[in-house]
Amino acid sequence: MPFQPHRPSRLDLLAAMVRIRAYEERIVAFHAQGPFPNVCTSVGQEAAAVGVVSALGPEDQILTNHRSAGHLLARGADPGRLLAEVMGRATGYCKGRSGTLHVSARELGVLLTSTIVGGELSLAPGVALTRTMLGGEGIVVCFFGDGAACEGIFHESLNLASVWNLPILYVCENNQWQAFVHRTETMVGDPIAAWAASYGMESRVVDGNDVEAVFDAACHAAGQVRATRRPYLLEATTYRQRGHMEPHDQSYVDPAEIEAWLAKDPISRLEARLLEGGELSLQGLQAIRSEAQAVMDEAAAFALASPFPDPAELTAHVYA
Amino acid sequence: MPFQPHRPSRLDLLAAMVRIRAYEERIVAFHAQGPFPNVCTSVGQEAAAVGVVSALGPEDQILTNHRSAGHLLARGADPGRLLAEVMGRATGYCKGRSGTLHVSARELGVLLTSTIVGGELSLAPGVALTRTMLGGEGIVVCFFGDGAACEGIFHESLNLASVWNLPILYVCENNQWQAFVHRTETMVGDPIAAWAASYGMESRVVDGNDVEAVFDAACHAAGQVRATRRPYLLEATTYRQRGHMEPHDQSYVDPAEIEAWLAKDPISRLEARLLEGGELSLQGLQAIRSEAQAVMDEAAAFALASPFPDPAELTAHVYA
Amino acid sequence: MTFLTAQEAIDQALAEEMQRDSRVLMFGEGVATKRKHLLEAFGPQRVRNTPLAEGVIAGTAAGAAATGLRPVVDLLFAPFLCFAMDGIVNSAGKLGYMSGGQFQFPMVVLAMTGGGWGVGAQHNHNLEAWFVHSPGLKVVMPSTPADCKGLMKAAIRDDNPVLFFMDIGLAYAPGEVPGDGAIIPLGQAAIRRQGSDLTLISYAKTVHTCLEAAEALAAHGVSAEVLDLRSLKPLDEAAILASARKTGRVIVVHEAARLCGVGAEVAALVSERAFGSLKAPVVRITGPDAPVPSSFPLEQAFIPQVDAIVSAGLCLAGPSGTRALELQAMRGGWTPGA
Amino acid sequence: MTFLTAQEAIDQALAEEMQRDSRVLMFGEGVATKRKHLLEAFGPQRVRNTPLAEGVIAGTAAGAAATGLRPVVDLLFAPFLCFAMDGIVNSAGKLGYMSGGQFQFPMVVLAMTGGGWGVGAQHNHNLEAWFVHSPGLKVVMPSTPADCKGLMKAAIRDDNPVLFFMDIGLAYAPGEVPGDGAIIPLGQAAIRRQGSDLTLISYAKTVHTCLEAAEALAAHGVSAEVLDLRSLKPLDEAAILASARKTGRVIVVHEAARLCGVGAEVAALVSERAFGSLKAPVVRITGPDAPVPSSFPLEQAFIPQVDAIVSAGLCLAGPSGTRALELQAMRGGWTPGA
Ligand SMILES: Cc1ncc(C[n+]2csc(CCOP(=O)(O)OP(=O)(O)O)c2C)c(N)n1
Ligand SMILES: Cc1ncc(C[n+]2csc(CCOP(=O)(O)OP(=O)(O)O)c2C)c(N)n1
Ligand SMILES: [Mg+2]
Ligand SMILES: [Mg+2]
């Protein structure tokens, strides 16, 4: 019988988001200290990551892209090995070969991460095809951005997934920006969920900054995929609170837009809800935050202490 | 003031379709006689070609694909030079470099024909962009097939044309087949015109085997593009009466499907209409047919008498 | 020993491997229609038609390969690979390495190319060198039905992405194929004719051109060895160098364009590693740096010809070889039209 | 004479050419945002952002070029070209020829590549050889800000499609740029240092590595000439052959992979046309046949190093050069990790 997600407590949801935020802020801090690999942070998009990933089971598989820290951490990735990968250390999930832009962690079911925008969309049908042909309950979740939806491969991927009845939950994190271009410069009308209709595919738009709403929508969507073994497109409306990548630059963004979205910050919203409802005290909140900081201190220490890969192994892993 | 198409007489529409059919049948006859270059004929799709092209003005530009004879002949191409190109003769529209699959005739405004399925879709926005930036009344008409609509470039092309307000009339000849694959194996739901909605684009489906209906729909569609300088998608429902290419093979096609569509043959339909209405006598019909045959006799003679290109010019035209 | 065309040999290899390993499947535009016998034998799950969408066909193959299947995809004609480069090069070729070895990509990409059908430059473009230049991929381009079968079987069993290029001009030429399901390992060249004065190195259709040329050269008293590369990546460097060191004279022949082609790699390799043994410059006889014309006589002129190989061979192996050759080379070498 | 980074030099070239010719326009992902000064100077019609869709960006450039505009498109990083191959190779590179000369494609495709930023193999993959191998295209890859400006201006004025590759490692290194809007014709290599014993041939970032190596070799009494190709297609064969004939010893250096790379072409060319003048084998020092790792020390190890060039140079120019060299070559040449 298909997987049934158990509902995480609101405190757990908050803690998961806070941990992601703390991780990304640590990245930002490293940049402040000096040269550091360019990273695309997911600050502001924590609810989409936590809400969707919390609705998944151990057999499910995830494909993601260049902005993947939230997905990986929500899935249980070790922040130390993640930071180590960003820093190109041998202890990273990909032994330093990937760096920040294409972190895969097969042990977590996070597969084939590609930084080619649309790469995840091109690979997802094959992963789902294996599921379909070799059996197994799991579904495939494919995270992508509003920009990726403009790539031709979006059309090809969703069409094939529909024609072949592949169990894929497509999750579009519509964060309003595509690197240095605003979403409204690249599409007209009312995308992206609406585009699913072209493929006879069910879809829904959810407030991507409300983690509980995302969790509920993801449970429904994943349930549909499990039940029908057909694809589904979930669009999470959210916002990229920082520049496309670190070092931070939003000089090209309308400050009013930033302000409006900061007011809808997913973490602050849940915190407020919990504090109002008395489910959480200020001390409790402080505890969650400092616990996250402690985790990141440890992660940073681990990464910094980790060795770089041996150049003698430069050409290992090119061929199977 | 924008171009106004004048309405061709029904007899002219018939004659144009009969000429295309006669051309394609001549190709078939050549194949029957022995080895001949593989050609994708447009038998059964004459109404789409004649109906759309008759609605265009001299300034308008056409992009087409591997199944282009109808478009070229409707636009006034010389069947002799067309046949010569198919036969790889120096007198062909492309000096024999193209052969049948990518015939361009710039003098007729038939540009950049590509046999890469989707090539026409990738090139059309650029042609329309030139129109937009250098001025001029004309619009760009892009013929493509139902199979091309499955290529990612379809999504990219229509989206860009919409975002940039490009004056493109997209014409999808939905002939139910994509080489050896039936359309219903490659898409679900109710494509292809419906897909235009994703791009905030107007669209319409027309009976592609009724030349008058196609002409009216094309006049409306082209008028919309002229008036709004925005793209429009017209889908002509029609049928590929022969195999994907010559030599003919339809062993993989359901005979009932063929039969049903042969009953809707665009030429027979108009002939019947004209005979019933007394607009055309059997002698008149015979005259139209034999005139077309005469034209093709002359064309064939011209092509066969034409020289092959000089191998010494093998590398001419590689660079400007 | 039976007589089969290259196409039949490939179908036999596919059938045998699908029979042997249930993880092998095949899909592409028209695959289920055109390979009806495979559909009937293995069913619609393992033999599939696809929409017209090379990008996602390649990506789907990579995604399936990385997770436990062994897909073979038919992308029809080499120029269509232009829509599939991301799946092949950026995903299948790189993600194994980029993930630190977490994934493997046992997949085969089949495509036809080469002169013979007058289909023009958007159906005929010999692109094999692109994939030899790209990391993580393997490339084969056979010259006989027997090799088509043996190399296809090896390609399907290999745990890396393999590009399998079928020369259009050979597709329907019959040849002997051993019935025993023999495998031809990737990376092994074959000496098609022994010789002592000169080595002709080629692959695919032009191997036969070289054999004809060797015959003609023999009449002139020049003994030419003919080496069929079969695999372009991995390249059988040992076989190339052994023959080059033996004869001291090498001509590389292929239909693909000259610049940065496989012939450039072979010539560079020989000149670098067999320098001391070379009695004359390594000559390349290739297709011109031009799109392939459709017109039959032009298409034929595009393909390396026997007499060009013979005259180059006589220059090389003849007494005053080197001088004559450099003069000829000054005039642009033996590239048609160049 | 002013000091500019390569990026600034390219922007200057773009501004000057857009000023000169109203048919020149530029578009791509973020072009209007990142090149704000161009947007302000020339307006939103001629400086455009696009959706994320490399396929139609390339196709649109080809369609616009064929009908009277002169587009420059920024495709950001070379691996993204994998989504744009049809527009560049099948359309812009071939349709002029296939139409019997009815169309021309005056367009420029800009992309960055190369080591330095640790961005990994899906942002850094030196693909220039693919386009050298493809008909109808031209390819440049400059090594200095002055060349960036002069070659960009020439590329924009050329009536053929030009691939303009910017080496990431050079993007922000400042250099002297003549103010006079000088043009550097496509197809002209530049001798960066005169020498008599040995020729180091390279392009882009590794030209500077070669200059360092030449310095070191001079200390050992070896006089090395350094030739900067600048244009990879058309290749300045005359300059290559002249230097090779002069010194009789050639080392080709580039970051791109070895197999079927530009170095293979140069080595094959020299070995074929300057055979009589060669005193030693032509050696290639290139990046390995591997995706580019992200980790900084690995990425650095990927790039050809000065000491590798120096040791190869000493082998070549030293007395018992050839033997030592062939031994070394046996061990796989100087490709890192090979
Ligand atoms: C094929 C390709 N084109 C361009 C890029 C450069 N790039 C990296 S991320 C990005 C923006 C992607 O936007 P979106 O899909 O909305 O994801 P987001 O960054 O907003 O999370 C771009 C243009 C790329 N990596 N791959
Ligand atoms: C990119 C590409 N893929 C595959 C082909 C082979 N091919 C040529 S025509 C064709 C079918 C096209 O179907 P459709 O677009 O419906 O046009 P139709 O042939 O029905 O007119 C195919 C698969 C091609 N020429 N280009
Ligand atoms: Mg976005
Ligand atoms: Mg069709």
Side-chain angles (χ1 to χ4, degrees), chain A residues 296-317:
Chain A
M296 296 311 148
D297 290 340
E298 201 186 309
F302 170 82
L304 287 167
S306 295
F308 283 101
D310 176 358
E313 286 170 19
L314 180 60
T315 58
H317 308 303

Side-chain angles (χ1 to χ4, degrees), chain B residues 145-147 173 175-178:
Chain B
D146 46 296
E173 286 180 67
N175 65 4
Q176 313 309 318
W177 281 91
Q178 306 167 4

